[in-house]
Each structure stands twice: as C-alpha cells, then as structure tokens.
C-alpha cells in the first residue's frame, strides 16, 4: 500500500511517518506547514505542501503517488483557540475532512484512518473511559472531532471505505529531539517554558476529589502513539469494516506527580504555584486500553519518566535553557 499522511510534518504526524517508513510502508506526506516543519521528515518521503480543503490538489496527489490508504492527522487542535474561533475550527477540521473524504471516495481509496481525541468524551465521571462511554464534548475542538468521527463512519458506509478512528489521550515525549513538540500548549512544554523563564510551574486547582487534590490524566508517549497508527494501518490493510479505539496507557498520573517527575528530570524542583481551577477541567480522565490490545495487538510500552526525559531533550534542542 501507499499511505497519504495528512499533517505529516507536524509533531504527531512526523512520528507516524517515521514509524511507518521504519516498518517499510510507502508514505507520502501532505502538510500546509502552518505548524509542521519539513526537516522533521526523512529525505526519502515526498512532502506535498497544501491543504485538505484543496480538492483538486488531493486528486492530483492520489493519482501521482498511487495512494491506496489515508492517515488523516491534519487539524487544528488547541482547545482555547477553538473556543475563541469556532467557525475556523469547523471550517478547517470538518470542511477539510469532508473535502478529503469526497476525494477518497472518487479515487476509490478503501482505507481511512482518522485522528480523533479523548476530547469527544467531555468530562465523564467514570474510573476508566471505554469506547462505549457516552460522548459529550465541552468545547468546539472536541465537537469537531466527534462530528469528524460521524462523517468518517458515514462515508465508510456509503462508499465501502474501511475506517479506524483513534481517540488519543494526552500525548507527550519525542522519539528523537528533532521531532519534539515545539509548541507551548500541552502541560509538559508549558512547565518547561515556566522553568526556562525562571518561574515556578502552575497547578490549576488542588481541591479535586483525587488522592493529592490535582487532576489525573492518562499520558501516552508519542512514539507509542505512532506505533498504534502503524498497527491500525496494518489492520485496515487486512480487514474491512469500522473500528473506534482509545489510545492511552490505562494509567492515571496526577498533575502534581507529573510536575515532580519534571523536577527530577530537569533538576529544577521548585514547588509549584497553586492557582484557581480552570473551567471545564475534569478531575480524572483515564483510558481503558483493553480494546486497543484486543483489536490492534497494541499496548503502550513507555512510561512517564521516558516521556518527560525525551521531551526535555527536545526542548533543550529547540529552546535552550
């Protein structure tokens, strides 16, 4: 097969490209470079600069490279930005997906892997979030991911496309420093940024109903996530139908515990500042990883210390100390 990976020069996309090319899969990357960097890609992987909103470009790429499957990662993904710019999120995340699926159907491509998110669940009050936990997103970003899943499944039924939707939990780490996350939007780089500016980390609320009072999350190493994509792509290559799967470790780590690991890794153990809760933060969000193991033969292999250590090496490369 030949796989088109949209968003292939991004943080997650570049890891997926590397995992798939290391496994000798044929890959071509599409990226508008709004958040991606060509240097992240291996020299032998073609990069097409463009948007999934450009249907004519998609048709040309499918024909030129003989694409037989699509891994769709390109999307806007910042919660706060989605609240401030909901129309942009629906236009790019849903409009781009609709254009892509139309081109996929017209080209007769039969395999489609969609990057979804645990944001589709909202804030369920459960110990472990299974794929059957009701979805109730609480922001436009999560809404676009849930709507995207509906659209992917509907297109699959209408056009005979086999589909997989992967619902990621909290992604961190780097397979190599040059592939690390350069943004300051997720908790690990946000803490690094504070420490680099000689400021204490922040905790938003320490009065949640959890053992140490801080929110608990499920963190997944981006290299494990990339391997999950490879497993899902290979499942698509060999089986039909549709599948929706959580991608997490199935283990919860509190914000305070994570900041402690970051302090041990960086050598900066200053105590965090506790500020008011942020609206919408759930006390606990941890995945059930059982279906991924059963359906994909995949389980996460890397722990939180490895995530933080690898992310710190990447931070030092891109930002210095």
């Amino acid at each position: 097969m030949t796989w088109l990976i949209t968003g292939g020069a991004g943080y997650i996309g570049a890891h997926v490209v590397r995992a798939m090319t290391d496994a000798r899969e044929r890959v071509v990357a599409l990226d508008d470079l709004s958040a991606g960097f060509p240097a992240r890609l291996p020299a032998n992987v073609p990069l097409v600069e463009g948007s999934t909103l450009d249907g004519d470009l998609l048709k040309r790429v499918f024909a030129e490279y003989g694409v037989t499957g699509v891994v769709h990662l390109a999307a806007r993904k910042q919660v706060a930005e989605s609240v401030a710019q909901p129309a942009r999120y629906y236009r790019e995340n849903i409009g781009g997906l609709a254009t892509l699926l139309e081109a996929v159907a017209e080209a007769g491509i039969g395999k489609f892997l969609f990057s979804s998110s645990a944001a589709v669940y909202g804030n369920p009050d459960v110990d472990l979030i299974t794929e059957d936990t009701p979805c109730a997103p609480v922001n436009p970003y999560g809404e676009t991911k849930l709507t995207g899943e509906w659209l992917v499944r509907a297109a699959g039924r209408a056009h005979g496309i086999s589909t997989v939707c992967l619902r990621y939990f909290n992604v961190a780490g780097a397979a190599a420093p040059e592939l690390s996350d350069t943004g300051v939007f997720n908790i690990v780089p946000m803490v690094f940024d504070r420490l680099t500016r000689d400021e204490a980390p922040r905790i938003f609320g320490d009065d949640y109903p959890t053992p140490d009072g801080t929110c608990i999350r499920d963190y997944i190493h981006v290299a494990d996530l990339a391997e999950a994509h490879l497993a899902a792509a290979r499942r698509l290559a060999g089986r039909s139908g549709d599948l929706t799967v959580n991608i997490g470790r199935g283990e919860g780590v509190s914000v305070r515990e994570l900041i402690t690991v970051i302090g041990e890794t960086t050598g900066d153990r200053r105590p965090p500042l506790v500020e008011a809760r942020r609206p919408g933060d759930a006390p606990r969000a941890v995945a059930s990883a059982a279906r991924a193991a059963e359906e994909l033969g995949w389980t996460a292999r890397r722990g939180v210390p490895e995530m933080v250590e690898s992310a710190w090496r990447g931070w030092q490369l891109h930002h210095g100390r």
Side-chain angles (χ1 to χ4, degrees):
M1 294 190 65
T2 297
W3 295 92
L4 175 70
I5 301 181
T6 72
Y11 165 52
I12 294 173
H15 280 88
V16 174
V17 167
R18 179 169 292 195
M20 293 186 73
T21 55
D22 285 350
R24 301 185 182 278
E25 298 286 345
R26 291 193 298 273
V27 165
V28 56
L30 173 76
D31 202 297
D32 67 4
L33 303 183
S34 60
F37 300 98
R40 284 176 168 149
L41 294 173
N44 62 341
V45 171
L47 171 62
V48 178
E49 184 176 352
S51 168
T52 55
L53 288 161
D54 188 341
D56 291 337
L57 173 64
L58 294 171
K59 293 173 188 176
R60 291 196 300 272
V61 171
F62 292 161
E64 180 178 351
Y65 292 97
V67 172
T68 52
V70 173
V71 179
H72 181 47
L73 298 116
R76 303 204 68 82
K77 61 176 185 176
Q78 303 306 326
V79 169
E81 183 182 60
S82 80
V83 173
Q85 302 178 44
R88 181 183 187 186
Y89 268 64
Y90 273 83
R91 180 176 64 252
E92 296 193 22
N93 290 6
I94 300 303
L97 174 59
T99 302
L100 177 60
L101 285 167
E102 287 175 339
V104 163
E106 184 177 327
I109 294 169
K111 311 294 181 183
F112 195 92
L113 173 54
F114 178 59
S115 161
S116 189
S117 167
V120 301
Y121 295 114
N123 298 327
D125 185 15
V126 295
D127 208 36
L128 286 178
I129 297 172
T130 74
E131 291 82 358
D132 299 319
T133 298
C135 293
V138 296
N139 53 64
Y141 168 66
E143 292 166 5
T144 64
K145 286 299 183 182
L146 182 57
T147 304
E149 289 189 11
W150 294 341
L151 179 54
V152 166
R153 295 187 198 106
R157 290 190 297 269
H159 304 292
I161 304 167
S162 297
T163 64
V164 173
C165 297
L166 300 183
R167 293 172 173 170
Y168 314 165
F169 279 66
N170 298 71
V171 184
E178 64 271 18
L179 299 184
S180 65
D181 190 358
T182 57
V184 188
F185 304 107
N186 300 319
I187 185 169
V188 173
M190 287 173 68
V191 174
F192 290 164
D193 182 57
R194 298 277 297 182
L195 297 179
T196 300
R197 291 188 285 114
D198 199 29
E199 297 175 356
R202 292 185 295 180
I203 291 175
F204 296 100
D206 65 350
D207 57 349
Y208 286 93
T210 61
D212 67 13
T214 67
C215 294
I216 292 174
R217 296 290 182 265
D218 190 334
Y219 296 95
I220 177 78
H221 197 297
V222 67
D224 281 326
L225 176 62
E227 290 167 5
H229 282 79
L230 175 62
R234 288 186 163 170
R235 184 191 192 278
L236 276 171
R239 296 174 63 181
S240 59
D242 68 88
L243 177 68
T244 299
V245 185
N246 287 339
I247 302 298
R249 292 170 60 242
E251 299 177 15
V253 177
S254 77
V255 172
R256 192 176 291 279
E257 289 171 334
L258 180 64
I259 289 176
T260 297
V261 174
I262 292 173
E264 292 169 350
T265 300
T266 63
D268 192 330
R269 296 178 173 84
R270 72 184 76 193
L273 301 174
V274 177
E275 300 185 5
R277 291 187 183 191
R278 295 182 301 189
D281 277 349
R284 178 181 174 87
V286 180
S288 166
R291 185 179 292 182
E294 178 182 347
E295 295 284 352
L296 302 180
W298 170 91
T299 55
R301 298 186 292 116
R302 300 162 179 89
V304 169
E306 188 171 348
M307 293 180 217
V308 172
E309 290 164 7
S310 62
W312 180 235
R313 289 192 294 271
W315 180 269
Q316 291 175 304
L317 174 66
H318 293 295
H319 298 274
R321 178 72 198 266

